[in-house]
Short mmCIF file of all heavy atoms in Angstrom, two decimals:
data_model
loop_
_atom_site.label_atom_id
_atom_site.label_comp_id
_atom_site.label_asym_id
_atom_site.label_seq_id
_atom_site.Cartn_x
_atom_site.Cartn_y
_atom_site.Cartn_z
N MET A 851 96.74 129.18 103.38
CA MET A 851 98.05 129.14 102.68
C MET A 851 97.99 129.89 101.37
O MET A 851 97.42 129.41 100.41
CB MET A 851 98.42 127.69 102.43
CG MET A 851 99.06 126.99 103.62
SD MET A 851 100.46 125.97 103.10
CE MET A 851 99.68 124.96 101.88
N ASN A 852 98.55 131.05 101.34
CA ASN A 852 98.60 131.78 100.12
C ASN A 852 100.06 132.01 99.72
O ASN A 852 100.61 133.08 99.84
CB ASN A 852 97.86 133.12 100.24
CG ASN A 852 96.39 132.92 100.39
OD1 ASN A 852 95.82 132.03 99.79
ND2 ASN A 852 95.75 133.76 101.17
N LYS A 853 100.65 130.93 99.23
CA LYS A 853 102.04 131.01 98.91
C LYS A 853 102.23 131.50 97.50
O LYS A 853 101.59 131.02 96.59
CB LYS A 853 102.67 129.63 99.08
CG LYS A 853 104.15 129.70 99.33
CD LYS A 853 104.65 128.39 99.91
CE LYS A 853 106.07 128.51 100.45
NZ LYS A 853 107.04 128.82 99.41
N ILE A 854 103.10 132.48 97.33
CA ILE A 854 103.31 133.03 96.00
C ILE A 854 104.43 132.30 95.30
O ILE A 854 105.46 132.03 95.89
CB ILE A 854 103.58 134.57 96.08
CG1 ILE A 854 103.63 135.14 94.66
CG2 ILE A 854 104.85 134.88 96.86
CD1 ILE A 854 103.52 136.68 94.65
N ASN A 855 104.18 131.96 94.06
CA ASN A 855 105.16 131.29 93.21
C ASN A 855 105.83 132.41 92.41
O ASN A 855 105.41 132.77 91.29
CB ASN A 855 104.45 130.31 92.28
CG ASN A 855 105.43 129.52 91.43
OD1 ASN A 855 106.58 129.93 91.25
ND2 ASN A 855 104.98 128.41 90.89
N LYS A 856 106.92 132.93 92.97
CA LYS A 856 107.57 134.13 92.39
C LYS A 856 108.11 133.82 91.00
O LYS A 856 108.05 134.67 90.11
CB LYS A 856 108.73 134.60 93.27
CG LYS A 856 108.30 135.57 94.31
CD LYS A 856 109.50 136.23 94.93
CE LYS A 856 109.09 136.97 96.22
NZ LYS A 856 110.23 137.23 97.09
N VAL A 857 108.64 132.64 90.83
CA VAL A 857 109.23 132.30 89.54
C VAL A 857 108.18 132.34 88.47
O VAL A 857 108.39 132.90 87.39
CB VAL A 857 109.89 130.90 89.63
CG1 VAL A 857 110.39 130.44 88.25
CG2 VAL A 857 111.04 130.92 90.63
N TRP A 858 107.00 131.76 88.80
CA TRP A 858 105.91 131.77 87.81
C TRP A 858 105.49 133.18 87.50
O TRP A 858 105.24 133.54 86.35
CB TRP A 858 104.74 130.91 88.31
CG TRP A 858 103.71 130.73 87.25
CD1 TRP A 858 103.67 129.71 86.32
CD2 TRP A 858 102.58 131.58 86.95
NE1 TRP A 858 102.58 129.91 85.47
CE2 TRP A 858 101.91 131.04 85.85
CE3 TRP A 858 102.12 132.79 87.53
CZ2 TRP A 858 100.80 131.63 85.29
CZ3 TRP A 858 100.98 133.36 86.98
CH2 TRP A 858 100.34 132.80 85.89
N HIS A 859 105.35 133.97 88.55
CA HIS A 859 104.88 135.34 88.31
C HIS A 859 105.85 136.15 87.45
O HIS A 859 105.41 136.95 86.60
CB HIS A 859 104.65 136.05 89.67
CG HIS A 859 103.30 135.84 90.21
ND1 HIS A 859 102.19 136.57 89.86
CD2 HIS A 859 102.80 134.88 91.04
CE1 HIS A 859 101.11 136.13 90.49
NE2 HIS A 859 101.45 135.10 91.23
N LEU A 860 107.14 135.95 87.67
CA LEU A 860 108.10 136.66 86.87
C LEU A 860 108.05 136.23 85.41
O LEU A 860 108.22 137.07 84.51
CB LEU A 860 109.52 136.45 87.43
CG LEU A 860 109.79 137.19 88.75
CD1 LEU A 860 111.15 136.75 89.31
CD2 LEU A 860 109.75 138.69 88.56
N ALA A 861 107.76 134.98 85.19
CA ALA A 861 107.71 134.45 83.83
C ALA A 861 106.39 134.72 83.17
O ALA A 861 106.26 134.62 81.94
CB ALA A 861 108.03 132.97 83.84
N ASN A 862 105.37 135.03 83.95
CA ASN A 862 104.00 135.18 83.41
C ASN A 862 103.36 136.45 83.91
O ASN A 862 102.52 136.44 84.78
CB ASN A 862 103.13 133.96 83.81
CG ASN A 862 103.66 132.67 83.24
OD1 ASN A 862 103.31 132.32 82.12
ND2 ASN A 862 104.51 132.00 83.99
N LYS A 863 103.78 137.56 83.36
CA LYS A 863 103.21 138.82 83.77
C LYS A 863 101.83 139.00 83.11
O LYS A 863 101.65 138.63 81.94
CB LYS A 863 104.12 139.97 83.31
CG LYS A 863 105.44 139.96 84.04
CD LYS A 863 105.56 141.12 84.98
CE LYS A 863 106.73 140.95 85.95
NZ LYS A 863 108.00 141.32 85.33
N MET A 864 100.89 139.54 83.85
CA MET A 864 99.62 139.88 83.28
C MET A 864 99.84 140.99 82.21
O MET A 864 100.48 141.96 82.49
CB MET A 864 98.65 140.37 84.35
CG MET A 864 97.30 140.81 83.87
SD MET A 864 96.21 139.48 83.38
CE MET A 864 95.36 139.14 84.95
N PRO A 865 99.30 140.83 81.00
CA PRO A 865 99.46 141.88 79.98
C PRO A 865 98.82 143.16 80.44
O PRO A 865 97.94 143.15 81.29
CB PRO A 865 98.73 141.32 78.73
CG PRO A 865 98.39 139.91 79.07
CD PRO A 865 98.46 139.71 80.54
N LYS A 866 99.28 144.28 79.87
CA LYS A 866 98.64 145.57 80.19
C LYS A 866 97.29 145.60 79.45
O LYS A 866 97.22 145.22 78.30
CB LYS A 866 99.52 146.73 79.74
CG LYS A 866 100.60 146.98 80.73
CD LYS A 866 101.14 148.39 80.66
CE LYS A 866 102.06 148.60 81.84
NZ LYS A 866 103.06 149.63 81.56
N ASN A 867 96.27 146.09 80.12
CA ASN A 867 94.91 146.14 79.57
C ASN A 867 94.53 144.80 78.93
O ASN A 867 94.25 144.75 77.75
CB ASN A 867 94.78 147.24 78.55
CG ASN A 867 95.11 148.61 79.14
OD1 ASN A 867 94.69 148.92 80.22
ND2 ASN A 867 95.88 149.39 78.42
N PRO A 868 94.57 143.76 79.71
CA PRO A 868 94.26 142.41 79.13
C PRO A 868 92.81 142.33 78.74
O PRO A 868 91.93 142.91 79.42
CB PRO A 868 94.58 141.47 80.29
CG PRO A 868 94.40 142.30 81.52
CD PRO A 868 94.78 143.69 81.16
N ASN A 869 92.48 141.63 77.66
CA ASN A 869 91.10 141.37 77.33
C ASN A 869 90.68 140.14 78.14
O ASN A 869 91.49 139.51 78.83
CB ASN A 869 90.88 141.23 75.84
CG ASN A 869 91.62 140.04 75.26
OD1 ASN A 869 91.80 139.03 75.93
ND2 ASN A 869 92.05 140.14 74.02
N LEU A 870 89.42 139.80 77.99
CA LEU A 870 88.88 138.69 78.83
C LEU A 870 89.60 137.39 78.55
O LEU A 870 89.91 136.64 79.49
CB LEU A 870 87.39 138.58 78.58
CG LEU A 870 86.60 137.80 79.63
CD1 LEU A 870 86.87 138.29 81.03
CD2 LEU A 870 85.11 137.88 79.35
N ASP A 871 89.86 137.11 77.29
CA ASP A 871 90.57 135.88 76.95
C ASP A 871 91.91 135.79 77.62
O ASP A 871 92.30 134.76 78.17
CB ASP A 871 90.74 135.75 75.42
CG ASP A 871 89.46 135.34 74.72
OD1 ASP A 871 88.55 134.85 75.39
OD2 ASP A 871 89.42 135.51 73.51
N GLU A 872 92.64 136.89 77.56
CA GLU A 872 93.98 136.90 78.16
C GLU A 872 93.89 136.71 79.66
O GLU A 872 94.73 136.04 80.25
CB GLU A 872 94.66 138.22 77.81
CG GLU A 872 95.09 138.31 76.39
CD GLU A 872 95.63 139.69 75.98
OE1 GLU A 872 95.11 140.70 76.51
OE2 GLU A 872 96.56 139.73 75.19
N ARG A 873 92.90 137.31 80.27
CA ARG A 873 92.73 137.19 81.70
C ARG A 873 92.41 135.75 82.10
O ARG A 873 92.95 135.21 83.06
CB ARG A 873 91.67 138.13 82.20
CG ARG A 873 92.14 139.55 82.20
CD ARG A 873 91.03 140.52 82.53
NE ARG A 873 90.54 140.30 83.88
CZ ARG A 873 89.41 140.86 84.37
NH1 ARG A 873 88.70 141.61 83.60
NH2 ARG A 873 89.03 140.64 85.60
N ILE A 874 91.54 135.13 81.29
CA ILE A 874 91.16 133.75 81.60
C ILE A 874 92.37 132.82 81.49
O ILE A 874 92.63 132.02 82.36
CB ILE A 874 89.99 133.28 80.69
CG1 ILE A 874 88.71 133.98 81.10
CG2 ILE A 874 89.85 131.78 80.74
CD1 ILE A 874 87.56 133.75 80.15
N ILE A 875 93.10 132.99 80.39
CA ILE A 875 94.30 132.17 80.19
C ILE A 875 95.28 132.40 81.35
O ILE A 875 95.83 131.45 81.90
CB ILE A 875 94.92 132.49 78.82
CG1 ILE A 875 94.02 131.96 77.72
CG2 ILE A 875 96.32 131.87 78.73
CD1 ILE A 875 94.34 132.51 76.36
N TRP A 876 95.48 133.64 81.70
CA TRP A 876 96.41 133.94 82.77
C TRP A 876 95.95 133.30 84.06
O TRP A 876 96.73 132.67 84.77
CB TRP A 876 96.53 135.48 82.91
CG TRP A 876 97.61 135.87 83.87
CD1 TRP A 876 98.90 136.18 83.58
CD2 TRP A 876 97.51 136.04 85.32
NE1 TRP A 876 99.61 136.47 84.71
CE2 TRP A 876 98.79 136.42 85.77
CE3 TRP A 876 96.45 135.86 86.21
CZ2 TRP A 876 99.02 136.62 87.14
CZ3 TRP A 876 96.72 136.09 87.58
CH2 TRP A 876 97.99 136.46 88.04
N HIS A 877 94.68 133.44 84.37
CA HIS A 877 94.18 132.92 85.65
C HIS A 877 94.20 131.40 85.70
O HIS A 877 94.47 130.83 86.73
CB HIS A 877 92.77 133.44 85.92
CG HIS A 877 92.77 134.78 86.56
ND1 HIS A 877 93.06 134.98 87.90
CD2 HIS A 877 92.55 136.01 86.05
CE1 HIS A 877 93.04 136.28 88.17
NE2 HIS A 877 92.73 136.92 87.09
N LEU A 878 93.92 130.77 84.56
CA LEU A 878 93.96 129.30 84.56
C LEU A 878 95.40 128.83 84.82
O LEU A 878 95.64 127.91 85.59
CB LEU A 878 93.43 128.77 83.22
CG LEU A 878 91.91 128.86 83.05
CD1 LEU A 878 91.54 128.35 81.66
CD2 LEU A 878 91.18 128.04 84.14
N GLY A 879 96.34 129.45 84.13
CA GLY A 879 97.74 129.10 84.35
C GLY A 879 98.15 129.42 85.78
O GLY A 879 98.82 128.60 86.45
N HIS A 880 97.69 130.57 86.27
CA HIS A 880 98.04 130.97 87.61
C HIS A 880 97.52 129.96 88.64
O HIS A 880 98.27 129.58 89.55
CB HIS A 880 97.44 132.36 87.86
CG HIS A 880 97.77 132.87 89.23
ND1 HIS A 880 96.85 132.93 90.23
CD2 HIS A 880 98.92 133.29 89.77
CE1 HIS A 880 97.44 133.42 91.31
NE2 HIS A 880 98.70 133.65 91.05
N ALA A 881 96.28 129.57 88.50
CA ALA A 881 95.68 128.67 89.48
C ALA A 881 96.44 127.34 89.57
O ALA A 881 96.49 126.71 90.60
CB ALA A 881 94.22 128.41 89.15
N LYS A 882 97.01 126.94 88.44
CA LYS A 882 97.75 125.66 88.45
C LYS A 882 99.05 125.78 89.17
O LYS A 882 99.56 124.81 89.72
CB LYS A 882 98.04 125.27 86.98
CG LYS A 882 96.95 124.43 86.37
CD LYS A 882 97.37 123.93 85.01
CE LYS A 882 96.11 123.68 84.15
NZ LYS A 882 96.43 123.67 82.73
N HIS A 883 99.68 126.94 89.09
CA HIS A 883 101.06 127.05 89.55
C HIS A 883 101.24 127.84 90.80
O HIS A 883 102.30 127.84 91.42
CB HIS A 883 101.91 127.69 88.43
CG HIS A 883 101.99 126.85 87.19
ND1 HIS A 883 102.79 125.76 87.11
CD2 HIS A 883 101.29 126.88 86.06
CE1 HIS A 883 102.64 125.18 85.92
NE2 HIS A 883 101.72 125.88 85.26
N CYS A 884 100.23 128.57 91.21
CA CYS A 884 100.39 129.49 92.32
C CYS A 884 99.07 129.66 93.05
O CYS A 884 98.01 129.58 92.46
CB CYS A 884 100.86 130.83 91.76
SG CYS A 884 101.16 132.06 93.03
N SER A 885 99.17 129.87 94.35
CA SER A 885 97.93 130.03 95.14
C SER A 885 97.94 131.34 95.91
O SER A 885 97.34 131.44 96.99
CB SER A 885 97.77 128.84 96.09
OG SER A 885 98.93 128.71 96.89
N CYS A 886 98.59 132.34 95.38
CA CYS A 886 98.68 133.61 96.12
C CYS A 886 97.35 134.33 96.17
O CYS A 886 97.09 135.12 97.06
CB CYS A 886 99.78 134.53 95.55
SG CYS A 886 99.38 135.33 94.00
N ARG A 887 96.50 134.07 95.19
CA ARG A 887 95.15 134.61 95.26
C ARG A 887 94.19 133.67 94.51
O ARG A 887 94.57 133.04 93.55
CB ARG A 887 95.06 136.03 94.68
CG ARG A 887 95.53 136.11 93.25
CD ARG A 887 95.28 137.53 92.74
NE ARG A 887 96.46 138.06 92.07
CZ ARG A 887 96.44 138.77 90.95
NH1 ARG A 887 95.29 139.06 90.38
NH2 ARG A 887 97.50 139.23 90.40
N PRO A 888 92.95 133.62 95.00
CA PRO A 888 91.98 132.72 94.36
C PRO A 888 91.49 133.30 93.04
O PRO A 888 91.65 134.49 92.77
CB PRO A 888 90.84 132.68 95.37
CG PRO A 888 90.94 133.94 96.14
CD PRO A 888 92.39 134.36 96.12
N LEU A 889 90.87 132.45 92.21
CA LEU A 889 90.25 132.92 91.00
C LEU A 889 89.13 133.91 91.35
O LEU A 889 88.33 133.62 92.23
CB LEU A 889 89.67 131.76 90.23
CG LEU A 889 90.63 130.89 89.41
CD1 LEU A 889 89.89 129.70 88.87
CD2 LEU A 889 91.18 131.69 88.27
N ALA A 890 89.10 135.03 90.68
CA ALA A 890 88.08 136.06 90.94
C ALA A 890 86.75 135.61 90.40
O ALA A 890 86.67 134.83 89.43
CB ALA A 890 88.50 137.36 90.35
N GLY A 891 85.66 136.10 91.02
CA GLY A 891 84.32 135.66 90.66
C GLY A 891 83.98 135.71 89.20
O GLY A 891 83.44 134.75 88.67
N LYS A 892 84.26 136.82 88.55
CA LYS A 892 83.84 136.97 87.16
C LYS A 892 84.63 136.02 86.28
O LYS A 892 84.09 135.51 85.29
CB LYS A 892 84.08 138.42 86.72
CG LYS A 892 83.24 138.68 85.48
CD LYS A 892 83.21 140.14 85.08
CE LYS A 892 82.36 140.23 83.81
NZ LYS A 892 82.82 141.25 82.89
N ILE A 893 85.88 135.82 86.58
CA ILE A 893 86.70 134.92 85.77
C ILE A 893 86.16 133.49 85.91
O ILE A 893 86.05 132.76 84.93
CB ILE A 893 88.17 134.98 86.25
CG1 ILE A 893 88.76 136.37 86.01
CG2 ILE A 893 89.00 133.90 85.56
CD1 ILE A 893 88.92 136.71 84.54
N VAL A 894 85.79 133.12 87.13
CA VAL A 894 85.26 131.79 87.33
C VAL A 894 83.99 131.57 86.48
O VAL A 894 83.81 130.57 85.82
CB VAL A 894 84.91 131.55 88.84
CG1 VAL A 894 84.23 130.21 89.01
CG2 VAL A 894 86.18 131.58 89.65
N GLU A 895 83.12 132.58 86.46
CA GLU A 895 81.91 132.51 85.66
C GLU A 895 82.24 132.33 84.15
O GLU A 895 81.62 131.49 83.51
CB GLU A 895 81.09 133.80 85.81
CG GLU A 895 80.22 133.81 87.06
CD GLU A 895 79.61 135.19 87.28
OE1 GLU A 895 79.30 135.86 86.29
OE2 GLU A 895 79.50 135.59 88.47
N GLU A 896 83.16 133.09 83.67
CA GLU A 896 83.53 132.98 82.27
C GLU A 896 84.14 131.65 81.94
O GLU A 896 83.87 131.07 80.90
CB GLU A 896 84.51 134.11 81.90
CG GLU A 896 83.84 135.46 81.67
CD GLU A 896 82.82 135.45 80.54
OE1 GLU A 896 83.10 134.78 79.54
OE2 GLU A 896 81.79 136.09 80.67
N VAL A 897 84.97 131.14 82.83
CA VAL A 897 85.60 129.86 82.63
C VAL A 897 84.53 128.76 82.54
O VAL A 897 84.55 127.91 81.66
CB VAL A 897 86.58 129.55 83.77
CG1 VAL A 897 87.01 128.09 83.76
CG2 VAL A 897 87.83 130.43 83.66
N LYS A 898 83.52 128.87 83.42
CA LYS A 898 82.44 127.86 83.42
C LYS A 898 81.60 128.00 82.17
O LYS A 898 81.22 126.99 81.56
CB LYS A 898 81.56 128.04 84.66
CG LYS A 898 82.22 127.44 85.89
CD LYS A 898 81.32 127.54 87.07
CE LYS A 898 82.02 127.08 88.35
NZ LYS A 898 81.37 127.59 89.54
N LYS A 899 81.34 129.20 81.75
CA LYS A 899 80.54 129.44 80.54
C LYS A 899 81.20 128.79 79.31
O LYS A 899 80.57 128.33 78.41
CB LYS A 899 80.46 130.94 80.26
CG LYS A 899 79.12 131.54 80.56
CD LYS A 899 79.09 132.99 80.03
CE LYS A 899 78.61 133.92 81.15
NZ LYS A 899 78.88 135.33 80.77
N ARG A 900 82.52 128.84 79.31
CA ARG A 900 83.25 128.28 78.19
C ARG A 900 83.53 126.78 78.38
O ARG A 900 84.19 126.16 77.53
CB ARG A 900 84.61 129.00 78.04
CG ARG A 900 84.40 130.44 77.64
CD ARG A 900 85.61 131.29 77.89
NE ARG A 900 85.25 132.70 77.70
CZ ARG A 900 85.95 133.53 76.94
NH1 ARG A 900 87.05 133.16 76.34
NH2 ARG A 900 85.53 134.78 76.81
N GLY A 901 83.03 126.22 79.44
CA GLY A 901 83.16 124.78 79.65
C GLY A 901 84.60 124.34 80.00
O GLY A 901 84.99 123.24 79.78
N LEU A 902 85.38 125.32 80.54
CA LEU A 902 86.72 124.95 80.92
C LEU A 902 86.74 124.53 82.39
O LEU A 902 85.88 124.85 83.16
CB LEU A 902 87.62 126.19 80.75
CG LEU A 902 87.76 126.72 79.32
CD1 LEU A 902 88.41 128.07 79.33
CD2 LEU A 902 88.48 125.77 78.43
N LYS A 903 87.80 123.78 82.70
CA LYS A 903 87.96 123.36 84.09
C LYS A 903 88.85 124.34 84.83
O LYS A 903 89.84 124.79 84.31
CB LYS A 903 88.62 121.97 84.12
CG LYS A 903 87.66 120.88 83.71
CD LYS A 903 87.28 120.05 84.93
CE LYS A 903 86.20 119.06 84.53
NZ LYS A 903 85.69 118.34 85.66
N VAL A 904 88.44 124.63 86.07
CA VAL A 904 89.26 125.49 86.88
C VAL A 904 90.37 124.67 87.54
O VAL A 904 90.09 123.64 88.10
CB VAL A 904 88.44 126.20 87.97
CG1 VAL A 904 89.29 127.09 88.83
CG2 VAL A 904 87.30 126.97 87.33
ZN1 ZN B 1042 100.20 134.03 92.26
#
């Protein structure tokens, strides 16, 4: 099931040339609200390094 939450995506565009922090914040928000794609490997590693919950 990879259902896209269009409303969330429209309201939360990924910034252009996002830095790592921005990507992590985006992906954490994304994972909560939408399941169109899983968290990417490198993001998961960074989230864990920072002691955040996925
Ligand atoms: Zn999505």
Side-chain angles (χ1 to χ4, degrees):
M851 277 222 305
N852 291 325
K853 204 162 191 297
I854 186 164
N855 184 343
K856 271 193 194 161
V857 175
W858 188 89
H859 273 275
L860 287 174
N862 297 273
K863 294 249 166 80
M864 177 74 91
K866 280 204 172 153
N867 302 317
N869 63 32
L870 197 53
D871 283 344
E872 288 172 324
R873 287 173 63 192
I874 288 172
I875 289 165
W876 188 93
H877 276 283
L878 286 176
H880 181 253
K882 270 186 207 161
H883 296 282
C884 181
S885 55
C886 74
R887 58 174 132 138
L889 280 173
K892 198 170 180 214
I893 296 292
V894 174
E895 278 171 35
E896 281 298 322
V897 167
K898 281 183 186 160
K899 254 189 231 167
R900 293 162 191 231
L902 299 169
K903 285 252 173 185
V904 179

